[in-house]
Structure formats: structure tokens, C-alpha cells
């Protein structure tokens, strides 16, 4: 008995490896996504302590930060001029203790404004020290 | 004429291996997401002259709703200093970095106590910001 050989061959795309290809693609994109570096600005702050600030305020430069204004030792200053003004005030002071700048912020000052001002103070050679109120009012939702 | 029946080929089915690996991967990705802070919504403030922040074990985030998170887990400001301290342990200076990811519009009433807590815990503060030139 003779068998007839079929001349038609089944041609198919090999699908066995497609799972592995997908897996490798996912790993590749995950690695790409997770290695995006963060950029930032480091800030050295003195360790917090409770002190009577009156004497220190008299000796050091004080920057009052309000929502729409910046005051250096009580004088209003434009945001763009902060660096130059602080630099001028700190001229001739080489000891770190003398370069301390006390920053007092109003409760409603946004973070981006705070960063803008403190960056300029640091660029001018100042050492930032925060002065926080002892008590803050917190509204509790009813 | 008799046809000889061949031996049945016994093999572990490997076709599903890719799918199994894929599902395992998704499982671990979801598991890892609960530990990181990528689900927190915040917009970085913009600044000039930024440097690479490097690696840190401690990240404090303040989101757009002014909620505070430590390594992706929400907590109150009161707990922050002690929790950061326990994370940093006895790490020497230079390895005590704490990243602060504060939402651009969050207010001083919220971020200043957080900065104070980081300072209290002996952390080296790094503000995570976006370069102005990227705009």
C-alpha cells in the first residue's frame, strides 16, 4: 500500500518565544523607569534646640518671609535682590557662627517661595537657621 | 501491513513558562509598589544649580493634600522624628541623607515642622527639586 505524501507544509510563526520576548521587554522598561535619578539641593541645618532667641536675633541677619514679601532685618526686599543684599551684609564675616541667617516664615508661605529665598541665602554664603513658633494652630475637621 | 505505533513523547509543557514569569513579575511589582512612594502625588518645586541627590534609605514626602509620608507610608508629624531616627540608626555622617519631596504649593505650617523633625533626627536634608532649565 502506498501512502501519498502531502506536499503542503504547515508554515507558522514560532510563538513559543513570544512570552520570553515580552518578559524581557518589561524588565528593560522597568529598569529604565527606576533608574531616573533625582536631583536636589542639600541643606545643612543646625540641630534643633529650644533657646531664647532674642539675643541671637540681635546679632544675626533675620529674613522674614511673608506670602507676598521678603524682609531682611525688617526692610522689604525684592526676591531678585536677596542674594546681593545678604552677600553685602555677610561681607567680611568668615566664621560660620557669624554667617547664620535666621529665617522666619509665615504659616502660608508656599514651599516654592521658601526654596527660592533660602537658595539665594545659601548661594550668598549664609547658613540657614529656621525659627519656628512654639505653638501652631491646627484646624481639626468636624 | 502493520504500522508501528511510536512511543508517546512525554515532556514538561514549556509554552506557558513566559506567561508564568510574566505573572510573577507583575505580582512582585505590585508588592514593591506598596513600599515605595511612586503612588504619592506631588509636584517638585523648581530651582537652579541642582546636583544628583544620590541614594538614601529615608524619603519623606508631603503630597498635594499636605499629607506626610515616610518611605511611602502615611504618618503624623509627631511620629516623624523618632521613625527617621530608627531608620538611620547609627549610620555615620555622609550616610544619613534624608530626601524631602515636598509639593511645590505646600505651606510653611506643614513643611517646617517636617524639616525640624529631620534635623532633630540627625538627618542630612536633601530637597528634591526640578531644574528650572528643564521647562
Amino acid at each position: 500500500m502506498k501512502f501519498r505524501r502531502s506536499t503542503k507544509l504547515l508554515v507558522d510563526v514560532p510563538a513559543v518565544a513570544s512570552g520570553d520576548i515580552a518578559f524581557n521587554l518589561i524588565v528593560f522598561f522597568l529598569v529604565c523607569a527606576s533608574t531616573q535619578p533625582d536631583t536636589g539641593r542639600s541643606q545643612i541645618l543646625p540641630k534643633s534646640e529650644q533657646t531664647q532667641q532674642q539675643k541671637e536675633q540681635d546679632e544675626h541677619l533675620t529674613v522674614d518671609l511673608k506670602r507676598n514679601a521678603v524682609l531682611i532685618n525688617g526692610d522689604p526686599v525684592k526676591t531678585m535682590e536677596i542674594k546681593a543684599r545678604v552677600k553685602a551684609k555677610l561681607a567680611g564675616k568668615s566664621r560660620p557662627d557669624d554667617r547664620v541667617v535666621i529665617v522666619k516664615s509665615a504659616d502660608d508661605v508656599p514651599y516654592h517661595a521658601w526654596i527660592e529665598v533660602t537658595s539665594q541665602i545659601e548661594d550668598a554664603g549664609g547658613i540657614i537657621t529656621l525659627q519656628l513658633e512654639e505653638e501652631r494652630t491646627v484646624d481639626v475637621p468636624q | 501491513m502493520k504500522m508501528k505505533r511510536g512511543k508517546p513523547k512525554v515532556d514538561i509543557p514549556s509554552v506557558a513558562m513566559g506567561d508564568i514569569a510574566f505573572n510573577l513579575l507583575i505580582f512582585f511589582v505590585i508588592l514593591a509598589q506598596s513600599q515605595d512612594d511612586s503612588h504619592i502625588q506631588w509636584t517638585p518645586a523648581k530651582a537652579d544649580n541642582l546636583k544628583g541627590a544620590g541614594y538614601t534609605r529615608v524619603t519623606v514626602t508631603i503630597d498635594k493634600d499636605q499629607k506626610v509620608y515616610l518611605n511611602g507610608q502615611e504618618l503624623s508629624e509627631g511620629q516623624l522624628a523618632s521613625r527617621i531616627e530608627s531608620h538611620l540608626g547609627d549610620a555615620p555622617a555622609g550616610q544619613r541623607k534624608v530626601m524631602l519631596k515636598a509639593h511645590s504649593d505646600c505651606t510653611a505650617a506643614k513643611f517646617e515642622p517636617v524639616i525640624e523633625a529631620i534635623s532633630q533626627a540627625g538627618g542630612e536634608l536633601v530637597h528634591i527639586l526640578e531644574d528650572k532649565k528643564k521647562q
Side-chain angles (χ1 to χ4, degrees):
Chain A
M1 190 182 165
K2 267 191 175 176
F3 285 102
R4 264 184 99 178
R5 185 177 286 175
S6 168
T7 48
K8 276 186 180 176
L9 293 168
L10 186 68
V11 180
D12 204 2
V13 180
V16 182
S18 58
D20 298 326
I21 294 164
F23 178 75
N24 280 304
L25 276 171
I26 290 164
V27 170
F28 171 74
F29 284 112
L30 269 179
V31 170
C32 280
S34 61
T35 53
Q36 200 172 14
D38 280 321
T39 53
R41 176 180 273 267
S42 60
Q43 198 167 57
I44 301 155
L45 292 167
K47 205 160 181 169
S48 69
E49 53 186 33
Q50 288 182 330
T51 49
Q52 295 296 319
Q53 297 285 332
Q54 196 52 52
K55 195 183 166 213
E56 279 191 18
Q57 275 182 32
D58 296 339
E59 290 170 3
H60 298 299
L61 202 59
T62 306
V63 176
D64 281 291
L65 203 52
K66 312 280 180 201
R67 190 168 176 87
N68 297 313
V70 182
L71 309 162
I72 296 179
N73 284 348
D75 301 324
V77 181
K78 283 181 186 169
T79 314
M80 302 305 289
E81 294 170 4
I82 296 168
K83 189 177 170 182
R85 290 284 287 271
V86 173
K87 213 169 189 172
K89 299 251 186 200
L90 296 177
K93 294 178 177 175
S94 54
R95 284 173 52 223
D97 283 358
D98 297 333
R99 303 181 78 83
V100 167
V101 178
I102 298 166
V103 177
K104 287 196 277 183
S105 311
D107 280 357
D108 58 350
V109 171
Y111 181 68
H112 61 85
W114 189 90
I115 280 290
E116 174 79 45
V117 172
T118 54
S119 299
Q120 287 197 51
I121 295 169
E122 284 185 322
D123 289 345
I127 297 167
I128 306 279
T129 300
L130 302 185
Q131 189 180 327
L132 276 78
E133 300 272 337
E134 194 58 39
E135 281 182 34
R136 286 194 192 273
T137 310
V138 178
D139 294 320
V140 181
Q142 291 176 355
Chain B
M1 189 185 160
K2 261 191 176 179
M3 296 274 286
K4 234 184 166 181
R5 187 178 286 176
K7 277 186 181 174
K9 201 181 171 189
V10 181
D11 207 0
I12 300 165
S14 59
V15 182
M17 283 295 183
D19 299 325
I20 295 164
F22 178 75
N23 280 307
L24 274 172
L25 186 81
I26 288 183
F27 170 74
F28 285 112
V29 165
I30 291 167
L31 201 73
Q33 253 187 354
S34 65
Q35 290 172 3
D36 76 5
D37 58 359
S38 57
H39 60 286
I40 302 166
Q41 291 187 317
W42 69 288
T43 310
K46 291 174 174 64
D48 290 319
N49 306 324
L50 303 180
K51 290 174 184 169
Y55 170 76
T56 177
R57 281 179 291 176
V58 188
T59 305
V60 181
T61 313
I62 305 171
D63 76 353
K64 62 183 179 64
D65 299 320
Q66 307 237 48
K67 288 179 189 159
V68 181
Y69 300 83
L70 176 66
N71 288 346
Q73 289 188 320
E74 194 180 343
L75 80 172
S76 69
E77 287 158 42
Q79 298 171 293
L80 200 55
S82 59
R83 294 282 293 275
I84 293 171
E85 218 164 351
S86 68
H87 270 89
L88 291 174
D90 298 327
Q95 289 174 26
R96 300 183 68 84
K97 266 187 204 168
V98 177
M99 283 189 192
L100 174 62
K101 296 178 175 181
H103 183 65
S104 177
D105 291 327
C106 80
T107 55
K110 201 72 191 179
F111 69 77
E112 280 198 334
V114 171
I115 291 172
E116 191 196 15
I118 295 169
S119 166
Q120 227 169 28
E124 293 158 1
L125 178 64
V126 181
H127 296 271
I128 299 301
L129 305 164
E130 195 178 82
D131 207 324
K132 271 184 183 172
K133 289 165 197 164
K134 269 191 178 178
Q135 281 181 312

